Amino acid sequence: MSAGSVRVRFAPSPTGHLHVGGARTALMNWLFARHHGGVFILRIEDTDRERSTPEATAAILSAMRWLGLDWDEGPQTGGPSGPYFQSERRASYAEAAGRLLAAGHAYRCYCTPEELEARRGEQLARGASPRYDGRCFELPESERLRVAAERGPGAVRLRMPPGETSWDDVTRDTVRFSHDELDDIVLLRSDGLPTYNFAAVVDDAAMRITHVIRGDDHISNTPRQIVIYGLLGIEPPRFAHVPMILGPDGSRLSKRHGATSVEAFRDEGFLPEAMVNFLALLGWAYDGKQELFDREDLVAKFDLDRVGKNPAIFNYEKLEWMNAVYLRRLSLDERTRLALAEIETAGLARPATAPVFYSRLVEAIGERLRRPSDVLVHGAFALRDEVTFEPEAWAMVVSEPKARDRLSAVAECLERLPEVSAAAAESAIRALAAEMGVKAGELIHPSRVALTGSRASLGIFDVMEILGKERAVARLRGAASRL
Ligand code: GLU
């Protein structure tokens, strides 16, 4: 493919948030364009006047920007093939419909929604697959004029020619549809607004789209679109249908499985770089081994030939793991800033605490930080004043007759240190254990419960340093006095 020849588009309908399925489609279009040095267009398919809202458009644009999917032509950016809102392109649909009508490839249909619905019901009752019966095509001209005078201009329907349509899909083998399965679809509704199939063809042609990359839920639309291209005398683009996304249980991904909108993932603390890496792997694989790809690497390696046709599973665990990887790539300062925002939102910020307290905490949490809000879980011991003892943890302390003495000894040992750094605490406590003739663990286990309330925590010497001498000693003494 010659550089610069690729033109692709992402064409969302602004009826809600950007779903991860849509984001994955947008990403694949973007990667394909960037890989081939082509053009990525954003087109807003807002012809469903009842369901399209400006708020949804704004949410989609902001989610795309957050993911770093910049468009070369589209809303706000502009470009030579605009406007990029279908609601502003009505003249071109009317013009194309006029050409099809004039050539006899389309006809006006005056059937009312109620009539269509009643006939559909009859067909279903007979066990026939519902389709338009073509009756307006057969109207003699005099009759047509009479009905038109009564009912207005009507809708424009395509006259589906006999035959079959096939295409060589980029991500699967040849796909074939008999026209018996396709009926005379509406191109323009009686209010003059185009249907999706018609508007998509007119715009993809006008915008000189070379590859239509979209979800495979659109496969059954493709033969209809190819027929429209044919009747308009336009060469269709190539089609690549990307596989659907399933939840971990194998059913179609939905809210039941967890977050599904890009915005929700953003609000839950996922990083755009992690999302991009994760989404790219939904339906695409490089060598079956590599999983971590930064943006430049994806642009360099992505192509459609390795997009599969089997459904992709949205594995939330894997996304969390990936997010942890990308969080670790941030500087400690950046990670701390994200964590601190969560701490503040939770109302757990500690007044008069030096910033280093938070960065030490985040540093000690290390890989356990899968999302910034994990600081609230792993850092609870330091963020809250009260220790909440897990019953089993406290029971373990109680069952050791020497626990009281050991906790007191650790308290005293820390108190004697000029400063409780993790390293100083470690060597002092190991020396203390040797002096007392016990294993270090015998001092550490009850201390951990006394300091954090739990049997599992961050490294115990980090815990001591983060709490600081005063808080650590008070907790050890407090626990000892309860025994
Ligand atoms: N507006 C359509 C959708 O959101 C676009 C499909 C296409 O890419 O052709 O599903």
Side-chain angles (χ1 to χ4, degrees), residues 252-479:
R252 210 185 173 90
L253 185 69
S254 76
K255 286 220 175 87
R256 274 184 306 113
H257 297 112
T260 55
S261 76
V262 170
E263 212 165 54
F265 284 101
R266 182 193 64 196
D267 294 347
E268 285 183 14
F270 290 91
L271 298 173
E273 299 308 318
M275 283 311 288
V276 162
N277 189 157
F278 178 79
L279 291 174
L281 296 176
L282 293 177
W284 175 79
Y286 179 56
D287 55 6
K289 291 189 217 106
Q290 186 180 348
E291 299 229 83
L292 294 173
F293 298 84
D294 61 26
R295 197 178 290 267
E296 292 68 43
D297 203 18
L298 282 175
V299 168
K301 291 175 176 160
F302 183 84
D303 214 340
L304 290 173
D305 52 359
R306 289 203 184 88
V307 175
K309 61 180 173 192
N310 295 327
I313 305 285
F314 196 99
N315 182 339
Y316 286 85
E317 276 287 304
K318 182 169 168 184
L319 174 58
E320 295 227 351
W321 164 77
M322 222 171 241
N323 204 51
V325 170
Y326 282 91
L327 275 169
R328 296 276 291 165
R329 291 186 183 176
L330 298 180
S331 68
L332 180 58
D333 277 355
E334 278 175 286
R335 248 181 300 149
T336 303
R337 193 179 50 74
L338 295 175
L340 189 53
E342 297 290 340
I343 293 170
E344 278 163 356
T345 309
L348 291 175
R350 303 182 61 80
T353 298
V356 66
F357 164 79
Y358 299 106
S359 59
R360 265 305 275 133
L361 181 60
V362 170
E363 187 178 35
I365 292 172
E367 288 170 9
R368 299 177 186 86
L369 196 78
R370 290 157 81 91
R371 308 185 210 176
S373 61
D374 288 340
V375 72
L376 304 177
V377 178
H378 300 297
F381 74 94
L383 297 169
R384 298 185 184 274
D385 287 323
E386 295 296 313
V387 181
T388 316
F389 291 99
E390 287 170 7
E392 320 79 69
W394 184 246
M396 183 202 80
V397 177
V398 171
S399 72
E400 169 52 63
K402 301 219 177 79
R404 190 189 158 101
D405 293 346
R406 290 175 183 167
L407 289 174
S408 303
V410 174
E412 217 166 282
C413 166
L414 292 186
E415 198 151 46
R416 275 200 305 266
L417 291 175
E419 202 202 337
V420 177
S421 68
E426 171 155 21
S427 61
I429 286 166
R430 292 200 189 283
L432 175 66
E435 204 178 290
M436 291 172 71
V438 297
K439 288 194 223 117
E442 289 173 283
L443 299 180
I444 288 171
H445 298 318
S447 298
R448 188 190 305 280
V449 177
L451 296 173
T452 69
S454 170
R455 276 187 295 179
S457 74
L458 309 184
I460 187 65
F461 305 114
D462 286 331
V463 165
M464 291 173 177
E465 177 181 317
I466 290 163
L467 286 172
K469 191 200 288 198
E470 202 180 313
R471 292 174 86 197
V473 168
R475 284 186 187 190
L476 291 162
R477 293 238 157 90

Side-chain angles (χ1 to χ4, degrees), residues 9 11-13 43 45 196 200 204 212-214 217-218 225:
R9 86 308 192 266
S13 304
R43 181 174 77 221
E45 302 210 324
Y196 154 68
D204 286 341
V212 168
I213 305 168
R214 63 184 170 206
D217 49 328
H218 283 289
Q225 296 181 8

